[in-house]
Amino acid sequence: MSQLVSVSIQRALYLFLLSHTLSPAFSQTACNNVNFELGNTLGWQGYTGYIDKDGTVVIEEFGFSKEQHKITELDDGYDPIAREHCERWDTIRMVALGGNHSLRLGNESIGAKAERIVKNFEVTPDNSAFIFQYAVILNDPEHEHFEQPRFELRVFDENGELYPCGEYQVRAAEFIEGFESCEEGWRVRPWTTVGIALNEYIGKEVTVEFITTDCAQGGHAGYAYVDAACHPFQITRDEFCEGVTSLMMEVPPGFASYRWSTGDTSRMIQVEEPQEGQVFSVELTSLTGCVFNLQDSLPFLNPPPIVELDSLQTPSICEGESYELLVQGQYIDQIYWPQLEQNGHRIMVTPTATTTYYFEASNKDACETISDSITIEVLPLPNLAPFSRDTSVCKGDTVTVTIEGDYDGIVEWENIRSDSSSLSFIADSTITLHYTISGSTVCTYTDSILVRVIDPGEVYFTVDDQAICEGESITLSVIGTHQGTVYWPELQRNDFDLTVSPDTTTVYTYQVLDVSGCATFESEVLVEVTQLPDIQWESPRCEREAFWLNATWAGATYEWQDGSSNSQFYVQKSGTYNVTITNACGSSTATVDVQVAEFNNGCDIQIPTAFSPNDDGINDRIEAITDCIDNELINYEFKIYDRWGQLIFKTNDLQKSWDGYFRGTPAPMGVYVWFLDYDNPICGKQLRRKGNLTVIR
């Protein structure tokens, strides 16, 4: 859910900040990635928004933007704007000195954008000085002050009240103290260190906020590089032991001024001939005008303290258990554990085997140190501790839980009457199975197995049948709820959205697996493919007599050359015929040249249907009856077959006839088939006529 935060700053504080490198004495304490050294924004909250025409910063989106919240690294080199447009500060690195990563808030692109990062943490004595570093790049459009690009820092207490000593704001202007006025209106400030004392908030939570914006009119950019660290707000000094004649004292960096009780005005001072009990104080003035005081005194050295340790015993624990290392005694100021790299009188450890832990105990200022060790004996669990895993099953399945391992122990299940290492039951609801294994040693093994029962619930999905034209593509989208995956078996594809281009009407099968993976549902979707009308006629076409010209096409309408709209047209004379066929996918036109004719001069030809070859002088022969002459029947051929397909008679002579005999023997009575082939002299096309004749005796 997006979060809307409106920010309007009325007061500008022009701070004169000096760049400073943090000394080793002020290495950062735990403040959860405040310096971005993890290479990410872990522990921070990111927001984006815009600056409106009234100069109000409107933060509306929660979350980090890759472009507006960029983690920088050493290989990024120098800021490109400063590099190109500045003379004095042209080598501003994109990472603060001494670090490997920083954060760039905003960028050089325009658009009235705004960026915000927020850090919440509880103030402790170890992090009561918040030290931040920044470098700012602002483009000055010479707008009204409230419209200018800006960089802001603010600190709030746990009630959301602004901490007066923790506020800083700068906006683009013709001249800004501490900034270089570079080419093309760019105003650039190099890396600067600022300290904020939070000692009055120890034990409470504070919020640190950084904001950058473009100009309100959207044509000029503003961005900054930020880094931070948390330190104790105290005087830090060198060790003061017997024989020390000189020592260094220092306080946190980033304050406008320092005034020591010695008269020194620098952050670090050198004390010559330090004395026991000598008191030092320093007044620190922040860049916001707030005044803070710190004090420290040197310890008394006469006589030097002697470190004493209480007697130590060798404890025993079971494998997997933890143990608190505790060192007590007199005059002990610091305990250091080298192999753990930790300091503390009490340290919690979880050894996996018998281990000796070495420590160094020091008095005040580590003037005297002694070393010793504590050995923790780790007793084994029942031989080869069992191996078990949590599992997930579908509701209604039979699940078997087995504790695996090579052990001598007895398995006891909590609230279940069974001492078996294996349980089987029907999964109905999620359950945690607790068990204990007791073995031959004094240690027992206790663990649990979580059986998550997944109920797929109701799965709804649908995809509508589709209609497309030939050559088109269509995307089949399976929509619904509780869907896990969609599989199309014919295409061997996994996809919620499948684009297909079938050539013909096709039914696609799809299988939906619910999000739990417990149930699969199968259905089908029809993609109906409509073809563009495509009628192909032989042209020219020659016919002996009138005929129907057929243009039938499913789902189409027709328009013939004479305006008629039937699917067929009756052709009675020669000419050119065309039809436009239209369906949902478009239109096409078919055309044919037709010749309708018998023969030249209207001659005709007929074959009788029967004759009686009985030598009575009546119908004794069968022949073509025609008024055509030979030159009007080109390639004339007359053939007669019996019912078994045997050729009985053949002639190319129009005047020749059949006498009813075959190979000198009268042909039997019955039905015979005749074929008459000749070329039409008008269209130059061979025509064939066919018919039956009956021999009667």
Side-chain angles (χ1 to χ4, degrees):
M1 180 179 295
S2 63
Q3 183 174 357
L4 180 64
V5 180
S6 294
V7 182
S8 181
I9 302 297
Q10 305 296 328
R11 184 164 57 97
L13 302 177
Y14 295 96
L15 308 180
F16 312 123
L17 310 179
L18 300 176
S19 298
H20 188 83
T21 302
L22 304 183
S23 68
F26 285 92
S27 59
Q28 181 182 355
T29 58
C31 215
N32 191 18
N33 197 35
V34 71
N35 57 3
F36 308 104
E37 286 304 297
L38 295 179
N40 55 40
T41 54
L42 182 67
W44 290 86
Q45 301 170 42
Y47 303 85
T48 56
Y50 63 93
I51 178 172
D52 68 14
K53 60 184 178 61
D54 297 322
T56 299
V57 180
V58 181
I59 302 298
E60 57 183 357
E61 294 291 337
F62 172 74
F64 289 97
S65 164
K66 182 172 63 175
E67 298 300 326
Q68 293 173 260
H69 305 89
K70 175 180 171 61
I71 295 294
T72 59
E73 54 188 36
L74 292 174
D75 290 342
D76 291 333
Y78 301 102
D79 176 77
I81 294 297
R83 193 70 169 164
E84 180 178 356
H85 299 288
C86 299
E87 293 183 1
R88 181 183 180 189
W89 302 119
D90 62 338
T91 56
I92 297 177
R93 290 192 172 274
M94 296 173 68
V95 176
L97 187 63
N100 295 307
H101 298 281
S102 294
L103 177 85
R104 186 187 69 194
L105 188 61
N107 53 47
E108 65 269 25
S109 65
I110 59 177
K113 299 187 301 297
E115 303 80 23
R116 177 178 182 241
I117 57 169
V118 173
K119 177 72 174 178
N120 302 307
F121 62 93
E122 181 181 348
V123 180
T124 68
D126 289 334
N127 63 19
S128 54
F130 184 77
I131 312 299
F132 74 94
Q133 297 174 275
Y134 71 95
V136 181
I137 293 89
L138 303 175
N139 196 204
D140 180 19
E142 300 182 359
H143 296 330
E144 295 293 332
H145 180 69
F146 68 87
E147 298 178 301
Q148 294 285 69
R150 68 192 64 180
F151 168 68
E152 301 171 355
L153 161 76
R154 292 183 295 175
V155 179
F156 301 92
D157 64 19
E158 59 187 5
N159 297 316
E161 297 294 329
L162 180 66
Y163 177 36
C165 299
E167 180 183 10
Y168 170 65
Q169 178 192 157
V170 63
R171 301 190 186 189
E174 181 178 1
F175 174 76
I176 314 172
E177 189 166 352
F179 282 70
E180 179 183 355
S181 296
C182 304
E183 297 173 348
E184 297 186 13
W186 289 101
R187 307 293 181 253
V188 174
R189 176 156 197 153
W191 282 102
T192 303
T193 303
V194 177
I196 300 177
L198 301 175
N199 53 309
E200 66 179 272
Y201 294 105
I202 290 176
K204 300 177 182 179
E205 186 174 277
V206 297
T207 298
V208 179
E209 170 189 76
F210 292 95
I211 291 177
T212 58
T213 77
D214 298 337
C215 76
Q217 296 186 24
H220 296 77
Y223 62 98
Y225 299 94
V226 296
D227 211 318
C230 296
H231 308 291
F233 187 61
Q234 64 184 28
I235 297 176
T236 304
R237 58 174 173 76
D238 293 338
E239 296 175 350
F240 178 60
C241 298
E242 187 175 2
V244 171
T245 60
S246 176
L247 56 79
M248 179 73 69
M249 306 184 81
E250 62 177 310
V251 288
F255 288 82
S257 66
Y258 304 88
R259 189 170 64 183
W260 292 81
S261 56
T262 61
D264 293 291
T265 57
S266 60
R267 188 177 72 85
M268 295 183 290
I269 64 172
Q270 186 79 24
V271 178
E272 303 296 338
E273 302 298 333
Q275 303 297 315
E276 300 176 57
Q278 188 175 358
V279 178
F280 296 88
S281 63
V282 58
E283 180 183 271
L284 301 87
T285 302
S286 73
L287 297 169
T288 57
C290 297
V291 177
F292 304 92
N293 290 282
L294 293 174
Q295 181 175 300
D296 189 26
S297 59
L298 299 182
F300 291 92
L301 301 178
N302 189 20
I306 299 174
V307 176
E308 299 176 355
L309 297 176
D310 290 345
S311 59
L312 300 173
Q313 60 180 358
T314 301
S316 297
I317 62 172
C318 292
E319 184 180 351
E321 292 181 347
S322 298
Y323 183 81
E324 184 182 61
L325 299 172
L326 174 61
V327 177
Q328 296 176 315
Q330 297 181 0
Y331 313 119
I332 299 176
D333 183 60
Q334 293 288 333
I335 302 292
Y336 178 65
W337 306 83
Q339 67 206 87
L340 300 176
E341 297 184 351
Q342 294 185 48
N343 288 293
H345 291 252
R346 297 173 179 268
I347 299 292
M348 188 66 69
V349 293
T350 308
T352 58
T354 298
T355 304
T356 298
Y357 293 92
Y358 297 91
F359 62 88
E360 298 170 355
S362 303
N363 65 352
K364 186 68 172 178
D365 282 353
C367 293
E368 184 175 337
T369 300
I370 64 172
S371 299
D372 208 328
S373 64
I374 300 175
T375 299
I376 299 177
E377 181 184 12
V378 178
L379 302 175
L381 293 170
N383 188 26
L384 220 96
F387 172 81
S388 63
R389 288 181 180 270
D390 295 342
T391 186
S392 296
V393 298
C394 297
K395 186 175 182 179
D397 287 354
T398 298
V399 59
T400 299
V401 177
T402 301
I403 302 175
E404 301 173 348
D406 180 16
Y407 52 89
D408 299 339
I410 298 173
V411 178
E412 296 181 1
W413 297 90
E414 183 178 299
N415 299 325
I416 298 176
R417 292 184 177 181
S418 175
D419 58 1
S420 172
S421 62
S422 180
L423 292 178
S424 294
F425 54 93
I426 296 176
D428 181 62
S429 59
T430 297
I431 185 173
T432 300
L433 303 172
H434 299 273
Y435 63 89
T436 299
I437 300 177
S438 302
S440 56
T441 68
V442 297
C443 296
T444 60
Y445 182 85
T446 300
D447 204 348
S448 64
I449 301 174
L450 175 63
V451 180
R452 299 181 185 88
V453 176
I454 302 171
D455 185 352
E458 182 178 356
V459 177
Y460 161 77
F461 61 91
T462 183
V463 56
D464 296 331
D465 291 342
Q466 303 292 332
I468 62 172
C469 295
E470 182 181 14
E472 292 182 345
S473 298
I474 188 71
T475 297
L476 305 177
S477 298
V478 180
I479 59 175
T481 57
H482 298 109
Q483 300 164 223
T485 60
V486 176
Y487 179 64
W488 305 82
E490 292 95 344
L491 303 176
Q492 297 185 350
R493 289 271 304 278
N494 283 292
D495 213 332
F496 282 89
D497 302 304
L498 180 71
T499 300
V500 295
S501 303
D503 297 325
T504 60
T505 296
T506 304
V507 175
Y508 294 94
T509 300
Y510 61 95
Q511 299 168 348
V512 178
L513 181 67
D514 77 289
V515 291
S516 66
C518 289
T520 300
F521 307 88
E522 184 172 290
S523 189
E524 295 178 340
V525 57
L526 171 69
V527 179
E528 184 176 359
V529 179
T530 300
Q531 296 180 329
L532 180 70
D534 184 18
I535 298 295
Q536 300 292 333
W537 287 323
E538 178 186 359
S539 183
R541 179 170 178 176
C542 193
E543 296 292 342
R544 180 172 174 273
E545 56 191 12
F547 67 96
W548 286 97
L549 196 57
N550 187 8
T552 302
W553 194 272
T557 60
Y558 312 89
E559 183 178 1
W560 293 88
Q561 74 285 337
D562 65 348
S564 60
S565 58
N566 294 324
S567 63
Q568 300 183 76
F569 189 85
Y570 191 57
V571 179
Q572 303 182 70
K573 60 181 180 180
S574 300
T576 299
Y577 296 83
N578 62 72
V579 61
T580 298
I581 309 169
T582 303
N583 68 2
C585 294
S587 301
S588 67
T589 300
T591 302
V592 61
D593 292 325
V594 177
Q595 294 287 341
V596 180
E598 293 290 344
F599 300 98
N600 286 338
N601 303 320
C603 70
D604 195 9
I605 185 168
Q606 299 292 332
I607 303 295
T609 59
F611 78 110
S612 56
N614 54 8
D615 297 325
D616 62 358
I618 302 173
N619 289 332
D620 286 335
R621 305 183 73 87
I622 188 76
E623 62 186 346
I625 302 172
T626 181
D627 56 359
C628 301
I629 59 178
D630 286 340
N631 61 2
E632 292 176 333
L633 295 176
I634 303 171
N635 296 327
Y636 169 83
E637 185 177 63
F638 180 47
K639 294 181 288 186
I640 299 174
Y641 293 86
D642 64 14
R643 61 181 177 177
W644 292 284
Q646 184 172 8
L647 181 63
I648 303 299
F649 175 76
K650 174 182 177 183
T651 181
N652 299 106
D653 185 353
L654 185 62
Q655 305 302 322
K656 189 175 181 180
S657 60
W658 182 40
D659 59 4
Y661 282 79
F662 177 60
R663 295 179 181 174
T665 302
M669 292 190 299
V671 177
Y672 293 78
V673 179
W674 59 265
F675 291 92
L676 187 62
D677 296 308
Y678 54 87
D679 289 348
N680 185 307
I682 294 178
C683 27
K685 177 181 178 182
Q686 187 180 53
L687 300 178
R688 164 168 283 194
R689 298 180 63 186
K690 174 185 176 182
N692 295 331
L693 64 89
T694 303
V695 175
I696 304 172
R697 294 193 182 276

